[in-house]
Amino acid sequence: MAGCGTGEDPAPSNQPTSNASGGETAGGGVGTAALTIAKPDGAITTESHNPYLGDSSASKYAYGKVIFEPLALVNPTGDLGTTPWLAESVEWNEDYTQLTVVPRKGVKWSDGTDFTADDVIFSFDMVRTGKLNDTSAHNIKEVKADGDKVVITFGNSKFTSQARVLHHPIVPKHIWENIADPNTDPLTEEGQAVGTGPYVLSNWSTESVTLTANPEYWGGELAVPELNYVSYGDNAALTTALVSGEADWAQAFLPQIQDSYLAADENNKFLVSPTAGAGTLFMNLQTKPFNNKALREALAWTIDRNAYVDIAREGASEAIWNVTGLGDLLKDEILPEYADKNYSVDVDKAKQILTDAGYTWKDEKLIDPDGEAVSFSISVPAGWSDWNTEQALLAEELKSALGIEVKVDQPDWGGWDAARQEGSFQAIIHWLEDTGNAYGLYTSTMDPKWIVDNKAQFNFGRFDDPAVTEALNTYANAANEDERKEALKTMQTGFVENVPAIPLGAHPLLGEFNTRNYVGWPSEEDQYASGDPTQPGIVLVLTKLATA
């Protein structure tokens, strides 16, 4: 997404460019087997097909994404590129305050009505007028037609939130103009769940949701005739369903996935798609022991990121060693002076940093300059198995290498959430705001904007440096690429010099699927989309699948 100003793309083809089964040739044509898409979230009991509601069944199951389509698809992995979808082209102005799109011709809504520019204007104008809550902070000032184009003007730059804009679901004006409150309507009346997507709703129950292929889909003939969405009680039940073939496609972290899933059938596949985000160790910079930069830097030279990837994440990640905190996906945004500067597990270097800062050791325990033994707790909710494992790894690594006692804290979600917001923790492992560029890491770890009424949504360590804050604001609202580059220098240098947080490994999108009936899936060699069926890119995957 970074730097993507324009995009033009023809209608998608249902012929795959590659697949996860090692380059098998697609057979083509329409298959006979349905795909069952599964989640481990328990029963979803309330019917709602509204794509704008995060708690609707359409959002929880994610079937709304194959009914209602966006203007374009922003790939969160691979090349981070933008693929026009309901738009034939999308173009941003230089400061990303204005988006110009050409709505795709020849598209029909699933009730047979023509899709037009008026539908695009209406979908965004609901937000501008306040009829639809602006939950994505679009801050739309004007939406208008300009010949065969639609021009959307925003009150601030959207460079760091292009995906949020481009993924806004487009809905039919002729139906939605009669909906009194789009913030609450479940869209369950006859003929309301109408979209341009590749599938249409066939049956809804608390046990499963069935959708059938849209025979008039603008994207071409679909290989998969039917989708079934099912939610299982937990990961164990989901794993059993995937192994037995009862379920075909899911996104979940499955412990011991090699033995529990992949070994069961050579057709079972697991795709890890790195994103610009990262699993990150956040430290409370306001209190001991993390108010001393030397300790944070020593930890950065001690923590084994490979162990995080190989043991805690069972390979489902990618280690981040560069001092900038950026992973391979964003290597082009690393400043030249930092390109070859990487952390490693170097205990001698860590000890020298501590010694130079006045730390000592007594009875194999690290003693801070005030004469107190260094210890801290690290908190992750109970049941988050990968990060719970990382807690144990960190405790072992830091005690063995530096003599630091690390206490493992595994509260329930509510207690953990309150502590991270209020700043009453010492260290936590957390994700980042994923903006598809370097800004995501730096705003998440150093931006005071996230702290409102003394509660933090990111920047949990409460880092505050006026120069870095100004650079973050400049980057997010820059008038041109040169301004963004200058701001990035300040942000990146501030991160390197202060070590406000320690990224451990790329926070990936995961996908489990099988190639028994269909090929054309994204693969490590061709991450045209992630393998996660809850992402907007599912529509692209479904147009590329072909019979095996």
Side-chain angles (χ1 to χ4, degrees):
M1 182 169 66
C4 180
T6 64
E8 295 191 17
D9 194 69
S13 166
N14 66 346
Q15 296 303 312
T17 56
S18 68
N19 56 67
S21 53
E24 296 175 29
T25 302
V30 178
T32 58
L35 282 181
T36 296
I37 300 172
K39 296 192 74 179
D41 301 335
I44 298 173
T45 58
T46 304
E47 181 179 8
S48 174
H49 313 305
N50 191 323
Y52 297 123
L53 305 184
D55 62 352
S56 69
S57 57
S59 296
K60 289 181 176 179
Y61 276 116
Y63 64 81
K65 290 180 172 60
V66 301
I67 297 175
F68 302 97
E69 296 184 303
L71 291 173
L73 302 172
V74 179
N75 192 357
T77 189
D79 62 1
L80 301 176
T82 297
T83 301
W85 204 249
L86 273 185
E88 293 181 357
S89 66
V90 298
E91 183 175 358
W92 293 95
N93 66 349
E94 193 170 32
D95 67 359
Y96 287 79
T97 58
Q98 193 171 82
L99 173 66
T100 301
V101 304
V102 177
R104 193 174 291 279
K105 299 175 180 63
V107 177
K108 288 186 180 292
W109 295 100
S110 56
D111 64 0
T113 305
D114 288 338
F115 161 77
T116 70
D118 286 343
D119 297 306
V120 176
I121 293 171
F122 176 82
S123 297
F124 283 94
D125 220 33
M126 282 196 296
V127 177
R128 183 192 65 81
T129 62
K131 185 176 182 180
L132 179 64
N133 292 338
D134 191 7
T135 56
S136 294
H138 289 324
N139 191 18
I140 299 170
K141 297 303 180 183
E142 184 181 48
V143 188
K144 66 177 184 180
D146 180 11
D148 64 346
K149 302 176 181 177
V150 173
V151 180
I152 308 169
T153 303
F154 305 90
N156 60 301
S157 173
K158 296 300 164 187
F159 181 75
T160 63
S161 55
Q162 296 168 58
R164 289 186 182 183
V165 173
L166 295 174
H167 290 167
H168 183 76
I170 305 301
V171 297
K173 177 182 178 182
H174 66 281
I175 291 175
W176 283 72
E177 63 186 353
N178 299 315
I179 294 176
D181 186 359
N183 300 294
T184 60
D185 197 300
L187 219 69
T188 52
E189 292 184 14
E190 185 71 26
Q192 282 191 317
V194 170
T196 59
Y199 290 82
V200 295
L201 188 66
S202 175
N203 182 68
W204 194 99
S205 75
T206 56
E207 286 75 37
S208 65
V209 181
T210 301
L211 297 97
T212 54
N214 180 354
E216 302 301 324
Y217 183 52
W218 63 269
E221 185 179 66
L222 298 160
V224 183
E226 183 175 284
L227 302 177
N228 297 313
Y229 284 79
V230 179
S231 185
Y232 293 89
D234 52 32
N235 273 3
L238 175 60
T239 303
T240 299
L242 286 167
V243 170
S244 69
E246 183 179 286
D248 299 295
W249 194 0
Q251 60 87 23
F253 179 78
L254 304 181
Q256 300 178 322
I257 190 169
Q258 179 63 46
D259 294 334
S260 67
Y261 172 64
L262 295 176
D265 188 329
E266 63 179 8
N267 290 303
N268 289 346
K269 307 297 177 182
F270 176 48
L271 181 62
V272 179
S273 301
T275 69
T280 300
L281 180 68
F282 280 83
M283 299 161 283
N284 190 333
L285 311 183
Q286 306 305 306
T287 61
K288 294 179 69 173
F290 296 116
N291 58 352
N292 191 321
K293 186 186 77 171
L295 180 70
R296 306 196 299 269
E297 190 175 0
L299 262 58
W301 284 101
T302 304
I303 294 171
D304 188 349
R305 281 72 152 184
N306 287 340
Y308 170 76
V309 172
D310 296 339
I311 301 174
R313 293 287 302 170
E314 298 187 26
S317 185
E318 189 175 86
I320 296 177
W321 290 103
N322 191 266
V323 295
T324 64
L326 300 179
D328 288 346
L329 207 61
L330 297 177
K331 62 183 178 182
D332 290 344
E333 295 194 58
I334 297 175
L335 298 177
E337 55 263 42
Y338 298 129
D340 298 320
K341 291 190 176 181
N342 299 314
Y343 289 116
S344 62
V345 177
D346 190 336
V347 176
D348 289 340
K349 186 176 183 70
K351 287 184 173 180
Q352 188 61 56
I353 291 169
L354 292 170
T355 300
D356 292 345
Y359 287 79
T360 58
W361 280 265
K362 181 179 181 180
D363 298 329
E364 298 185 343
K365 293 182 179 180
L366 180 63
I367 307 300
D368 69 21
D370 296 327
E372 298 178 352
V374 177
S375 68
F376 63 87
S377 65
I378 181 168
S379 181
V380 172
W384 291 15
S385 58
D386 52 342
W387 286 355
N388 292 156
T389 299
E390 178 62 13
Q391 288 176 290
L393 290 173
L394 289 171
E396 180 181 342
E397 291 167 2
L398 297 179
K399 182 177 181 179
S400 173
L402 300 179
I404 298 173
E405 181 188 11
V406 178
K407 302 169 185 174
V408 172
D409 179 34
Q410 297 182 0
D412 61 20
W413 162 266
W416 183 76
D417 180 43
R420 66 175 178 156
Q421 290 192 54
E422 296 164 3
S424 57
F425 68 94
Q426 288 185 292
I428 59 174
I429 303 175
H430 202 280
W431 56 90
L432 302 174
E433 173 82 348
D434 184 2
T435 61
N437 46 45
Y439 178 82
L441 167 62
Y442 300 135
T443 187
S444 296
T445 57
M446 300 188 293
D447 200 337
K449 79 173 186 179
W450 295 106
I451 303 167
V452 179
D453 296 331
N454 206 34
K455 290 188 176 181
Q457 296 303 313
F458 279 107
N459 187 17
F460 304 107
R462 286 168 162 75
F463 180 89
D464 192 354
D465 180 307
V468 172
T469 301
E470 181 180 359
L472 286 160
N473 292 336
T474 298
Y475 186 95
N477 297 286
N480 55 61
E481 187 62 25
D482 288 340
E483 285 187 19
R484 274 189 288 274
K485 288 180 179 179
E486 283 301 311
L488 178 61
K489 291 180 182 179
T490 300
M491 293 153 46
Q492 201 162 107
T493 300
F495 186 89
V496 172
E497 293 182 349
N498 291 283
V499 197
I502 302 175
L504 303 171
H507 198 57
L509 295 169
L510 307 178
E512 293 91 7
F513 48 84
N514 66 69
T515 56
R516 285 187 287 275
N517 298 304
Y518 301 101
V519 294
W521 302 90
S523 64
E524 288 186 6
E525 295 73 28
D526 185 12
Q527 296 259 17
Y528 67 82
S530 77
D532 181 345
T534 70
Q535 298 297 308
I538 184 176
V539 290
L540 178 56
V541 176
L542 287 165
T543 61
K544 285 183 175 288
L545 293 185
T547 53

